[in-house]
């Protein structure tokens, strides 16, 4: 039996995995498998850099498939207008999707003592439950359930019945802890959740960060930073050309709306805050807008570096960090943290699109 395996879908997931492994006793390191799913992001050369740290026994790439990769499943996703028929189709879809995925799984998950999955709403969740593999779920993003309880939102209408069919009967699958074979789900702060659940366990991310030594932080930076010299130059060049002594404003992008509306959003944000200081941009890893071209006049950090990593550089300071929907509570390198929130987004798209929890 192998020790444990982590299935990650984003750079943030991998960052938290490093935190969890580095806070274990040293004799327990190099016993875990790290799996990088390409379902929603291109990890580029992260596999090589993560392997080079020596923290994991092996790093594996996973070409995870969405249900759209299997055209034969489409008929089971159609709304028949009848609750019973829809549920029957969902039962069939759950089984058939898991069986279609089986040949794509790159490791034998039954060989591991502990299986950790950050986003069991993705296809891997169906596979684990249909094949009766116990696993631990982890919050997809920092405090993400506070703003978007995907399990309840995706299953609006007769949620109690659907949860029973998932958790008790394993006939359908619901993410975020409601799968029958989900043992528990780790969240950052249970007190923020409108709908707490008996499987949720609290593990504050900051508590893990505080346990890191400088050597541990260096290991994380080795894995995530592709060009350390360039990053240090950006962070510590306090007298930028043409703007000596100006305060620094860091704007975090989000993969919001359509690309054209997204560009307008961040041009508007820059116009709001540029009078206060020198603007820096930190694109989100899943943000497909070409900031390098469209916003070439502003210094930009590598999108693949989680923003929390900037906490590891003592001495850096921003006057303000601004985000739209990204949670900014973990940031320690700014005098002021601004999350513009749902009311700001209401001006750019139908509020129903981003106010999911209000529709539960």
């Amino acid at each position: 039996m192998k020790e444990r395996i982590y299935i990650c879908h984003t750079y943030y997931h991998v960052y938290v995995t490093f935190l969890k492994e580095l806070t274990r006793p040293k004799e327990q390191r190099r016993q875990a498998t790290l799996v990088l799913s390409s379902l929603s992001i291109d990890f580029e050369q992260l596999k090589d850099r993560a392997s080079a740290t020596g923290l994991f026994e092996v790093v594996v790439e996973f070409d995870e498939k969405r249900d759209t990769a299997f055209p034969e499943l489409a008929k089971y996703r159609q709304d028949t207008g009848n609750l019973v028929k829809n549920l029957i189709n969902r039962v069939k879809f759950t089984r058939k999707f898991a069986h279609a995925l089986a040949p794509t799984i790159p490791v034998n998950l039954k060989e591991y003592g502990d299986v950790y999955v950050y986003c069991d709403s993705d296809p891997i969740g169906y596979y684990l439950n249909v094949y009766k593999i116990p696993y631990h779920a982890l919050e997809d993003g920092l405090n993400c359930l506070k703003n978007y309880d995907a399990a309840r939102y995706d299953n609006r209408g007769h949620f109690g019945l659907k949860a029973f069919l998932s958790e008790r009967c394993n006939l359908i699958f619901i993410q975020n802890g409601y799968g029958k074979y989900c043992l528990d789900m780790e969240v950052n702060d249970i007190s923020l959740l409108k709908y707490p659940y008996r499987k949720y366990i609290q593990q504050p991310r900051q508590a893990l960060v505080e346990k890191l030594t400088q050597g541990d932080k260096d290991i994380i930076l080795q894995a995530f930073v592709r060009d350390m010299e360039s990053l240090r130059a950006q962070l510590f060049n306090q007298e930028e050309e043409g703007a000596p002594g100006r305060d620094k404003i860091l704007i975090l992008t989000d993969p919001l709306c359509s690309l054209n509306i997204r560009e307008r959003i961040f041009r508007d944000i820059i116009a709001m805050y540029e009078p206060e200081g020198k603007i820096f941009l930190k694109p989100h890893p899943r943000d497909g807008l070409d900031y390098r071209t469209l916003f070439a006049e502003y210094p930009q950090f590598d999108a693949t570096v989680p923003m929390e990593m900037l906490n590891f550089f003592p001495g850096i300071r921003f006057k303000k960090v601004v985000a739209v929907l990204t949670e900014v509570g973990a940031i320690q390198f700014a005098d002021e943290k601004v999350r513009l929130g749902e009311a700001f987004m209401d001006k750019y798209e139908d509020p129903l699109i981003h106010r999911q929890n209000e529709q539960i």
Side-chain angles (χ1 to χ4, degrees):
M1 179 70 70
K2 298 181 180 180
E3 291 292 332
R4 55 195 174 276
I5 186 170
Y6 298 86
I7 301 174
C8 301
H9 295 87
T10 70
Y11 282 95
Y12 179 76
H13 298 170
V14 181
Y15 166 68
V16 175
T17 297
F18 269 79
L19 294 182
K20 293 176 72 65
E21 284 298 296
L22 286 168
T23 51
R24 288 180 176 272
K26 289 191 175 182
E27 61 270 18
Q28 294 183 14
R29 297 182 184 180
R30 204 173 174 78
Q31 297 179 9
T33 296
L34 173 63
V35 176
L36 304 176
S37 167
S38 61
L39 186 73
S40 58
I41 201 166
D42 181 2
F43 282 109
E44 300 179 352
Q45 302 303 313
L46 182 62
K47 175 186 176 183
D48 294 337
R49 297 196 304 272
S51 297
T53 66
L55 184 62
F56 300 97
E57 181 179 15
V58 65
V59 181
V60 178
E61 292 178 325
F62 175 22
D63 184 18
E64 193 170 1
K65 302 294 186 183
R66 299 185 187 278
D67 63 282
T68 51
F70 309 102
E72 67 273 18
L73 300 179
K75 61 183 178 182
Y76 301 111
R77 299 303 300 267
Q78 296 176 0
D79 185 358
T80 67
N82 180 283
L83 174 63
V84 175
K85 289 182 179 178
N86 284 347
L87 285 175
I88 291 173
N89 278 344
R90 188 166 173 179
V91 171
K92 293 178 180 178
F93 172 85
T94 300
R95 294 290 179 279
K96 292 179 181 295
F97 188 22
H99 295 325
L101 287 169
T104 72
I105 308 299
V107 295
N108 184 355
L109 292 170
K110 292 184 178 181
E111 293 181 348
Y112 290 87
D114 288 296
V115 176
Y116 295 90
V117 180
Y118 285 85
C119 201
D120 70 344
S121 60
D122 283 334
I124 189 65
Y126 287 84
Y127 175 82
L128 290 167
N129 281 277
V130 169
Y131 282 85
K132 302 179 181 180
I133 302 172
Y135 67 97
H136 308 276
L138 296 95
E139 198 172 25
D140 182 24
L142 185 67
N143 297 328
C144 66
L145 295 185
K146 180 192 77 171
N147 305 306
Y148 183 15
D149 190 326
R152 288 180 176 271
Y153 178 80
D154 291 347
N155 294 278
R156 303 183 306 283
H158 306 285
F159 177 76
L161 170 62
K162 295 173 184 176
F164 175 80
L165 293 176
S166 177
E167 184 184 7
R168 301 298 183 185
C169 305
N170 198 31
L171 290 175
I172 64 174
F173 171 66
I174 296 179
Q175 70 269 42
N176 291 350
Y178 293 94
K180 181 173 182 178
Y181 288 90
C182 179
L183 301 171
D184 47 51
M185 180 168 177
E186 188 178 291
V187 300
N188 181 64
D189 187 348
I190 289 178
S191 70
L192 299 176
L193 305 185
K194 183 177 180 180
Y195 301 101
Y197 178 48
R198 61 180 178 81
K199 288 187 181 180
Y200 294 165
I201 58 175
Q202 182 168 287
Q203 173 55 76
R205 301 294 177 234
Q206 185 57 32
L208 297 176
V209 173
E210 291 171 357
K211 294 179 181 179
L212 298 177
T213 65
Q214 186 56 52
D216 295 333
K217 295 176 182 178
D218 290 341
I219 289 174
I220 295 177
L221 292 173
Q222 176 188 343
F224 284 92
V225 179
R226 293 185 291 189
D227 187 345
M228 181 63 74
E229 288 188 12
S230 174
L231 179 58
R232 287 187 180 277
Q234 287 179 300
L235 291 174
F236 294 105
N237 183 6
Q238 298 294 325
E239 300 294 318
E240 287 84 9
E241 182 180 352
R246 293 180 68 189
D247 289 309
K248 295 181 178 182
I249 311 293
L250 178 61
I251 296 175
L252 308 175
T253 83
D254 276 302
L256 307 164
C257 306
S258 60
L259 292 179
N260 61 323
I261 296 177
R262 193 181 312 169
E263 179 182 353
R264 179 158 64 91
I265 288 173
F266 287 101
R267 290 201 183 280
D268 290 349
I269 294 174
I270 288 173
M272 290 167 57
Y273 290 98
E274 197 162 22
E276 299 184 29
K278 175 71 173 179
I279 297 294
F280 286 73
L281 295 178
K282 168 58 177 71
H284 189 282
R286 289 186 288 106
D287 190 341
L289 192 65
D290 187 359
Y291 291 91
R292 295 288 180 187
T293 299
L294 296 171
F295 297 84
E297 66 270 37
Y298 301 103
Q300 300 180 30
F301 294 114
D302 188 342
T304 66
V305 178
M307 64 179 181
E308 292 88 353
M309 217 143 293
L310 301 183
N311 290 328
F312 297 166
F313 293 89
I316 72 162
R317 205 72 194 161
F318 285 87
K319 173 185 177 181
K320 190 174 293 185
V321 170
V322 181
V324 182
L325 297 180
T326 295
E327 290 292 322
V328 293
I331 291 175
Q332 300 174 338
F333 49 82
D335 297 331
E336 183 180 352
K337 295 175 282 188
V338 179
R339 183 180 183 272
L340 296 170
E342 287 77 5
F344 176 83
M345 279 302 300
D346 289 347
K347 298 181 293 184
Y348 296 93
E349 68 178 6
D350 185 338
L352 293 178
I353 297 175
H354 53 266
R355 291 182 177 269
Q356 294 94 342
N357 277 5
E358 297 176 19
Q359 302 169 61
I360 296 174

